[in-house]
Amino acid sequence: MRQSRRMTPRQPRSQLSGRALAVLAVIGLALAACQPTASPAPSASPTTGTPAPSPAAEASPKPTQNPEAIYAAIEDEVVSIRGLTPKNPVDPKVLDDAGIRKVTEEGFRKDNPRDLVEANERLLKGLGLLEPEASLEDLYIKLLGDQVAGLYSPDDKQLYVVSRSGALGPTEKSTFSHEFTHALQDQNFDLSSLDLSEVGEGDRGIARLALVEGDATLAMTYWQLANLGQMELLQMLGESLNPEVTASLDAMPAVLRESLLFPYTGGLAFVQALQTSGGWGAVNDVYKSPPASTEQILHPEKYVAGETPVDVTVPTDLAAKMGDGWKVGLEDTLGEFQLKVWLEQAPKADGGPSAARAADGWGGDRVALLDGPDGAWAIALNTAWDTPEDATEFIAAARRAVDALPNGGTVEATSATDVSVVLASDAGLVERLGAALGD
């Protein structure tokens, strides 16, 4: 599934391309500024070039301005913070709820071929991450319509901000600062060059999206600290606690909700680690050599060390070995983040490794969804781990996840550091695919 547009969701928290799981977005507009864990250090180092607001300072009351003047002022402030030179003007459009729902739904349907959406749906259901009756397309469209507070499209260079009242309050201003940062990124680094939506490179796409969103989130956070007073932050907090929007997000399957959050929360931690040590120049350099995996986002030191994923494959003749009428419906890489999400759905085991610990030590993986006659399906997941101990921890956690599935499956070590997982629509197909992988 493909989602090339950069978004800011309206649901703050303390945020489709050929990828196996969703890559959308929610970012804490208010809480990013209010919570120390989501905010940069109270004062910026001389190397960052970021203004250091006084903790006790209140934003001075400003006279009523027209929207164009407000946007122009925010643009100048973001340029000063982020240090990127604007090359073309940006014409923001303010939309109401109905307007953003229309834009996001039309964009989703345009960017995502139905067969790709349906293949992702079958994979998620096979992994136990979606209920059998769920529609991935319907869930995505609802998620986008309910959560998005702003959007920048690299395709047509258009920037949108959502305002229920039509006014430009602190939430809308923060959203604009975030989306304008995306425009600066696009004008200086060409976001399309990141190949965020390349089919079969889902984990890499999530990682690069995390760079883009983490960058914009950190710039927005600095802008909030420098330009919003306490009352405005409290207003944003109140707006973020909309019970209807919160309930909508909480009701989403965990895989969609977590994939929505990760590019913002994980991306913020990744970018902040680089910016704190090397200033914005260090962040700019990442666009020249963007992250290759979510492992690098979760562990910035691995990005700095140049630790790239192991090349893992699945046999190209698996469908033929399964018999007549079988074909490959989807092939992708899950990565450390998405494997963690999968393992988190399994029942907890006393004394066993947590999902995060079991996914840590990931070296690489490749997953293939095979579609057979009469709705039959099978999934082959080959994984590589850094050490035998990492492989053993994954086996224990993966077996709990597999045992919780209606049709079961197998989890087997194929070497000291390689593990294969086989799932299928019935036990006979599990055995057949396992034998095909063994051959």
Side-chain angles (χ1 to χ4, degrees):
M1 292 171 290
R2 185 168 290 105
Q3 182 56 63
S4 60
R5 295 158 176 80
R6 308 279 62 76
M7 297 180 177
T8 300
R10 71 176 56 157
Q11 172 63 34
R13 293 258 169 171
S14 140
Q15 170 136 280
L16 283 199
S17 101
R19 58 197 61 166
L21 305 182
V23 185
L24 303 174
V26 170
I27 179 57
L29 294 176
L31 299 186
C34 297
Q35 294 194 359
T37 57
S39 301
S43 61
S45 67
T47 60
T48 65
T50 304
S54 168
E58 282 294 325
S60 301
K62 297 180 180 179
T64 302
Q65 295 177 293
N66 61 46
E68 290 77 13
I70 294 174
Y71 290 136
I74 295 174
E75 288 180 6
D76 289 343
E77 291 156 358
V78 172
V79 167
S80 176
I81 290 169
R82 186 57 184 83
L84 296 176
T85 303
K87 301 181 184 301
N88 297 296
V90 176
D91 180 24
K93 292 184 179 180
V94 178
L95 301 176
D96 58 11
D97 279 351
I100 196 63
R101 288 177 190 276
K102 182 175 185 293
V103 168
T104 54
E105 181 172 350
E106 289 179 350
F108 177 89
R109 296 191 188 281
K110 174 185 175 183
D111 294 341
N112 294 279
R114 180 173 292 274
D115 60 347
L116 186 59
V117 177
E118 291 176 349
N120 275 273
E121 179 181 302
R122 294 194 299 276
L123 177 62
L124 291 177
K125 289 179 177 179
L127 291 170
L129 292 169
L130 277 186
E131 294 296 327
E133 70 280 1
S135 165
L136 184 57
E137 178 176 316
D138 291 347
L139 287 169
Y140 262 126
I141 289 174
K142 178 173 175 54
L143 189 65
L144 292 170
D146 288 350
Q147 304 300 325
V148 171
L151 181 151
Y152 172 76
S153 172
D155 294 338
D156 58 14
K157 316 303 180 187
Q158 184 60 60
L159 189 157
Y160 301 95
V161 175
V162 179
S163 174
R164 286 178 169 171
S165 65
L168 294 177
T171 296
E172 291 79 15
K173 293 175 184 177
S174 293
T175 299
F176 179 75
S177 73
H178 183 106
E179 301 305 329
F180 181 68
T181 304
H182 286 323
L184 291 176
Q185 295 166 341
D186 194 26
Q187 292 175 14
N188 284 269
F189 307 123
D190 183 13
L191 293 181
S192 65
S193 69
L194 296 177
D195 293 327
L196 298 176
S197 298
E198 184 175 349
V199 174
E201 294 293 344
D203 183 60
R204 190 188 71 182
I206 296 173
R208 293 182 177 183
L209 181 64
L211 162 64
V212 173
E213 297 298 357
D215 178 358
T217 301
L218 185 57
M220 178 190 71
T221 305
Y222 277 130
W223 180 88
Q224 290 172 322
L225 290 170
N227 293 281
L228 297 181
Q230 183 177 4
M231 294 305 297
E232 291 173 303
L233 294 173
L234 289 174
Q235 178 183 337
M236 289 181 63
L237 178 59
E239 292 171 353
S240 76
L241 299 178
N242 182 306
E244 182 179 346
V245 176
T246 301
S248 174
L249 185 61
D250 290 343
M252 283 289 158
V255 63
L256 300 189
R257 185 173 62 249
E258 294 304 315
S259 297
L260 189 73
L261 293 165
F262 179 76
Y264 292 81
T265 56
L268 174 59
F270 173 77
V271 171
Q272 187 173 348
L274 298 176
Q275 196 265 350
T276 299
S277 61
W280 287 112
V283 179
N284 296 345
D285 288 343
V286 181
Y287 287 90
K288 303 172 186 175
S289 180
S293 67
T294 55
E295 179 189 47
Q296 292 183 332
I297 299 297
L298 290 163
H299 310 279
E301 70 279 4
K302 294 190 176 184
Y303 172 79
V304 174
E307 183 174 325
T308 55
V310 175
D311 185 20
V312 178
T313 62
V314 292
T316 58
D317 59 352
L318 275 183
K321 288 183 176 182
M322 291 295 289
D324 293 339
W326 284 86
K327 63 180 181 179
V328 177
L330 181 70
E331 188 174 323
D332 209 337
T333 297
L334 295 179
E336 181 176 340
F337 163 68
Q338 295 183 111
L339 280 176
K340 179 179 75 71
V341 173
W342 179 56
L343 296 175
E344 284 174 340
Q345 306 310 300
K348 301 295 185 293
D350 294 338
S354 66
R357 178 178 166 186
D360 194 0
W362 175 89
D365 76 73
R366 200 67 177 166
V367 63
L369 168 70
L370 304 174
D371 294 318
D374 302 320
W377 57 267
I379 295 172
L381 170 63
N382 285 345
T383 65
W385 299 88
D386 292 343
T387 68
E389 292 74 20
D390 293 325
T392 298
E393 289 182 341
F394 173 71
I395 289 172
R399 282 179 175 161
R400 292 199 304 273
V402 168
D403 289 345
L405 297 176
N407 301 313
T410 64
V411 181
E412 300 294 340
T414 56
S415 77
T417 56
D418 296 325
V419 180
S420 288
V421 178
V422 174
L423 309 171
S425 51
D426 65 59
L429 292 176
V430 170
E431 184 176 350
R432 191 191 308 179
L433 181 56
L437 282 172
D439 291 341

